[in-house]
């Protein structure tokens, strides 16, 4: 049942974003930023954690989850290191995901020879 909840939750998030892309004139980069900021805000007000525990990977994998991870990292580092944690916390918490995206993106560009449009 956990897999079904995760799949349906991730699908609903993707469907809502697709509707947002088609019905507004927002550029994809702005929509991505909107999702990351929304995840951070939902984490800050305490809504995202219960949603994450219920939906599992369906809530943690999309960009909303990335924003929440950044927020949690900043919150933890701010408490431990003060103002310096404001700059270090988010990247420390999300470093595995960021590094994976860079490595896999670079590997795909080497393997598949991208062409500029």
């Amino acid at each position: 049942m956990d897999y079904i909840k995760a799949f349906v939750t991730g699908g609903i998030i993707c469907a809502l974003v697709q509707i947002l892309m088609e019905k507004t004139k927002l550029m994809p980069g702005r929509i991505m930023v909107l999702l990351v900021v929304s995840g951070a805000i939902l984490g800050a007000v305490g809504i995202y954690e219960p949603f994450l525990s219920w939906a599992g990977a369906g809530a943690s994998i999309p960009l909303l989850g990335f924003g929440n991870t950044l927020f949690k990292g900043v919150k933890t580092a701010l408490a431990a290191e003060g103002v310096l944690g404001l700059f270090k916390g988010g990247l420390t918490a999300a470093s595995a995901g960021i590094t994976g995206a860079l490595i896999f993106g670079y590997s795909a560009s080497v393997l598949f020879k991208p062409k500029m449009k």
Side-chain angles (χ1 to χ4, degrees):
M1 191 64 181
D2 290 339
Y3 294 118
I4 293 171
K5 280 196 292 188
F7 182 77
V8 170
T9 303
I12 289 171
I13 292 170
C14 290
L16 291 172
V17 170
Q18 187 66 38
I19 291 169
L20 185 65
M21 288 175 69
E22 291 181 11
K23 298 295 181 186
T24 67
K25 294 187 185 292
L26 288 174
M27 302 293 282
R30 290 183 181 181
I31 292 174
M32 290 171 53
V33 169
L34 178 70
L35 289 169
V36 172
V37 171
S38 297
I41 291 171
L42 290 173
V45 296
I47 295 173
Y48 205 82
E49 279 304 315
F51 176 60
L52 182 61
S53 65
W54 178 81
S60 65
I61 300 301
L63 286 172
L64 288 170
F66 181 67
N68 185 49
T69 300
L70 290 174
F71 166 73
K72 287 193 301 189
V74 168
K75 181 180 172 186
T76 303
L78 194 58
E81 301 178 36
V83 177
L84 186 60
L86 196 63
F87 299 104
K88 291 175 35 177
L91 291 176
T92 302
S95 62
I98 294 169
T99 304
L102 289 171
I103 290 172
F104 291 125
Y106 179 73
S107 300
S109 72
V110 168
L111 291 174
F112 297 109
K113 306 290 185 223
K115 296 179 180 125
M116 296 296 291
K117 290 185 178 183

